[in-house]
Amino acid sequence: MRIKIFQDLIEEVHNPGICQQCGGCVSFCNSIEKDVIGFKEPNSPPEYLNKENCLECGICYFICPQTHILDEDLNKTYNFSDFSSMPLGYIEGIYSCQTNDNEFLKYGTDGGVVNSIINFLIERKMIEGAIVAKTKGAFSREAIIAKNRNDLITASGVKLDLTPQLDSVQKFHTYTSSLPQLRHYKFKKLALVGTPCQIYTIRCMQSLGIIPSQNIEICLGLFCYENFFFDELRVKKFENDFNLKFENIERINIKEDLIVKLKGKRGSQKIIHIPFKKLKEYMRPACNACADFTNIYADISFGGLGSPDNFTTVITRTKKGKEIFNKVVKTGVIKILDKFNEKGIKDKLVQLSQSKIKRAESYFGNKLIKGKISEVTSVIKEE
Ligand SMILES: Cc1cc2nc3c(=O)[nH]c(=O)nc-3n(C[C@H](O)[C@H](O)[C@H](O)COP(=O)(O)OP(=O)(O)OC[C@H]3O[C@@H](n4cnc5c(N)ncnc54)[C@H](O)[C@@H]3O)c2cc1C
Ligand code: SF4
Ligand code: SF4
Ligand code: SF4
């Protein structure tokens, strides 16, 4: 008998194709021993870099979002029971919001709310910065630590740089592995913007009280139905399938489908909506195995779904999340849409959440019980 280690993650998570590449294992491991594991290739699971240096502590196995070891602990902490009765997790409050800052609105994905809250927290010195993802191209982002307003604007959705997008060796993905940014130890108080799989991993680390998760002051969670990956072949197929050129994409957004806005004269730009069901071959395989749409373990969750254009749907979940939300509303940083339809928003969120849960259930067969994979329950390997 032995404690399961990274080798077991390779066998149980990487080999079946369900590694979400959240980077949590790499982030923790690098904080105790440098370069034991790491990412060698974009859009591939992490690998052993120096296997002989592995301390066999097993923490990487414990915190991986695909082993679900800590589900019960987290569910207690975050007032959640199971996906069948609570597909949206615990909701303290739900709103449709927009920033009052024209620049954050202009560069924002939806209502510019996430960046406005981060900027507020930085200006009030409640955090030193935030781990966000900077846009590099239409389907390409990289994780950075934003330390001020300018960094946040530079990282925002619509600014595309001139990275040669059709370079044959370049790969594109809408998912960014951001947790390894936690290696920047000089920052002691950070906000983390992340997808449900990333926030889950941080919450596991916090629940075990392990470094470097104590540096995360607040988790700002994005809704996430799925993420996409493009290599050269897929880029060509996508261009043919949807009759567009990658280089002509000005911005993308994801709500209940993929929304692609093409470059063109202001006001007359073409917008294409592509349903998720037509995007199966571009989806990261790991997303098949993921049941959380609305980021149930975040302090505050954000998404476009349920709100009108240029507004963000906001769900407050924890005491800390609620306090911050109240402050940004009270100080006029963001505004709540008058007479928003709370039930209408919830219905849309439940519908997409249930569709995501169903997809995960059919991927795992009947092994997914209450959001937990029944086969992967033990941290001990019998040998
Ligand atoms: C990969 C992905 C999938 C999504 N899927 C859905 C969906 O299916 N349905 C839905 O309704 N909403 C989805 N969203 C959320 C939605 O696109 C907006 O991010 C959300 O509504 C917040 O908008 P905002 O204008 O308030 O945020 P903004 O003020 O524009 O701020 C967004 C912040 O998020 C950061 N960021 C962007 N991408 C990442 C990333 N990958 N990792 C970490 N930080 C990041 C940006 O740098 C910025 O700081 C998704 C977002 C992402 C990134
Ligand atoms: S040292 Fe610990 S965290 Fe790092 S790979 Fe080995 S078992 Fe995993
Ligand atoms: S912790 Fe994240 S990156 Fe590491 S194996 Fe699990 S899903 Fe993959
Ligand atoms: S669908 Fe799940 S696994 Fe895929 S990026 Fe979103 S949260 Fe992560």
Side-chain angles (χ1 to χ4, degrees):
M1 274 201 325
R2 62 164 176 79
I3 289 181
K4 288 187 183 173
I5 57 171
F6 190 70
Q7 182 59 41
D8 300 285
L9 282 182
I10 294 177
E11 287 162 24
E12 295 177 22
V13 174
H14 299 187
N15 291 348
I18 57 169
C19 169
Q20 294 161 323
Q21 292 153 37
C22 66
C25 51
V26 176
S27 164
F28 169 73
C29 188
N30 268 329
S31 66
I32 54 164
E33 188 75 24
K34 284 271 164 288
D35 296 335
V36 177
I37 54 176
F39 287 97
K40 284 188 188 166
E41 294 277 331
N43 205 51
S44 298
E47 295 170 50
Y48 273 120
L49 303 177
N50 293 292
K51 190 172 182 179
E52 63 287 358
N53 293 345
C54 173
L55 304 173
E56 303 193 354
C57 65
I59 302 288
C60 53
Y61 190 89
F62 241 90
I63 60 174
C64 171
Q66 290 296 40
T67 61
H68 294 266
I69 300 297
L70 294 168
D71 277 13
E72 269 168 40
D73 286 0
L74 293 192
N75 290 349
K76 267 190 214 139
T77 311
Y78 296 95
N79 300 320
F80 172 70
S81 54
D82 68 83
F83 279 115
S84 48
S85 59
M86 291 177 78
L88 306 184
Y90 174 73
I91 296 180
E92 189 281 331
I94 190 161
Y95 312 88
S96 195
C97 300
Q98 187 182 62
T99 178
N100 278 319
D101 183 310
N102 286 340
E103 222 176 354
F104 284 131
L105 184 58
K106 182 174 166 199
Y107 294 119
T109 324
D110 288 307
V113 173
V114 178
N115 277 342
S116 296
I117 293 179
I118 297 171
N119 187 53
F120 172 86
L121 296 172
I122 293 175
E123 282 182 351
R124 294 282 172 113
K125 301 203 179 339
M126 293 162 78
I127 54 171
E128 293 163 86
I131 300 178
V132 299
K134 179 180 174 178
T135 306
K136 286 174 71 195
F139 286 95
S140 178
R141 302 188 82 115
E142 78 182 343
I144 61 157
I145 295 188
K147 298 179 284 299
N148 51 44
R149 178 186 179 87
N150 196 38
D151 290 347
L152 288 168
I153 300 279
T154 315
S156 287
V158 288
K159 286 211 166 172
L160 304 184
D161 67 15
L162 297 174
T163 315
Q165 297 203 17
L166 292 173
D167 180 338
S168 62
V169 291
Q170 207 173 346
K171 296 191 167 77
F172 306 98
H173 33 97
T174 51
Y175 180 79
T176 314
S177 178
S178 53
L179 300 191
Q181 280 294 323
L182 274 169
R183 68 182 183 276
H184 297 287
Y185 274 109
K186 59 179 182 151
F187 299 104
K188 299 288 180 231
K189 278 184 160 197
L190 287 171
L192 170 73
V193 182
T195 50
C197 54
Q198 293 167 332
I199 301 291
Y200 177 96
T201 314
I202 284 296
R203 293 308 199 195
C204 288
M205 290 163 125
Q206 289 177 335
S207 143
L208 294 175
I210 55 174
I211 53 174
S213 64
Q214 79 283 8
N215 294 347
I216 299 292
E217 191 64 21
I218 179 149
C219 287
L220 304 175
L222 303 174
F223 297 175
C224 182
Y225 189 76
E226 64 192 37
N227 262 268
F228 308 103
F229 163 67
F230 296 89
D231 53 15
E232 195 190 359
L233 272 179
R234 285 188 182 88
V235 168
K236 285 199 177 128
K237 188 162 185 331
F238 186 85
E239 290 184 333
N240 280 337
D241 285 354
F242 303 109
N243 197 21
L244 54 82
K245 286 274 171 215
F246 249 49
E247 62 207 5
N248 290 338
I249 296 174
E250 180 172 303
R251 66 186 293 184
I252 58 160
N253 194 2
I254 313 176
K255 283 195 183 188
E256 68 244 83
D257 51 19
L258 178 70
I259 307 161
V260 181
K261 186 174 187 183
L262 299 181
K263 289 177 188 166
K265 268 198 188 154
R266 240 198 125 134
S268 62
Q269 290 136 306
K270 196 170 167 193
I271 295 176
I272 304 171
H273 286 261
I274 307 176
F276 290 134
K277 63 173 190 271
K278 288 197 173 168
L279 290 163
K280 283 193 178 128
E281 58 200 299
Y282 306 103
M283 185 177 87
R284 296 165 75 235
C287 300
N288 270 313
C290 173
D292 178 11
F293 170 59
T294 59
N295 226 316
I296 58 174
Y297 301 120
D299 289 297
I300 316 177
S301 303
F302 306 87
L305 185 64
S307 286
D309 282 355
N310 301 318
F311 278 81
T312 308
T313 299
V314 178
I315 303 176
T316 50
R317 297 190 184 278
T318 62
K319 193 165 164 252
K320 191 189 272 182
K322 179 67 182 168
E323 276 169 13
I324 289 172
F325 181 76
N326 285 346
K327 275 189 193 148
V328 288
V329 173
K330 202 168 158 203
T331 51
V333 170
I334 63 169
K335 57 175 169 259
I336 301 174
L337 178 66
D338 279 347
K339 297 188 190 142
F340 65 94
N341 176 355
E342 184 174 333
K343 184 175 177 308
I345 296 179
K346 277 189 183 160
D347 287 349
K348 282 191 170 178
L349 298 183
V350 166
Q351 198 185 8
L352 213 55
S353 296
Q354 280 170 341
S355 152
K356 191 169 174 181
I357 292 163
K358 221 167 139 192
R359 183 175 69 191
E361 279 170 349
S362 72
Y363 185 80
F364 283 114
N366 55 10
K367 284 182 265 170
L368 191 78
I369 298 167
K370 295 187 177 181
K372 180 171 172 141
I373 307 160
S374 56
E375 271 193 358
V376 191
T377 49
S378 171
V379 289
I380 303 293
K381 174 125 180 159
E382 307 279 347
E383 285 184 324

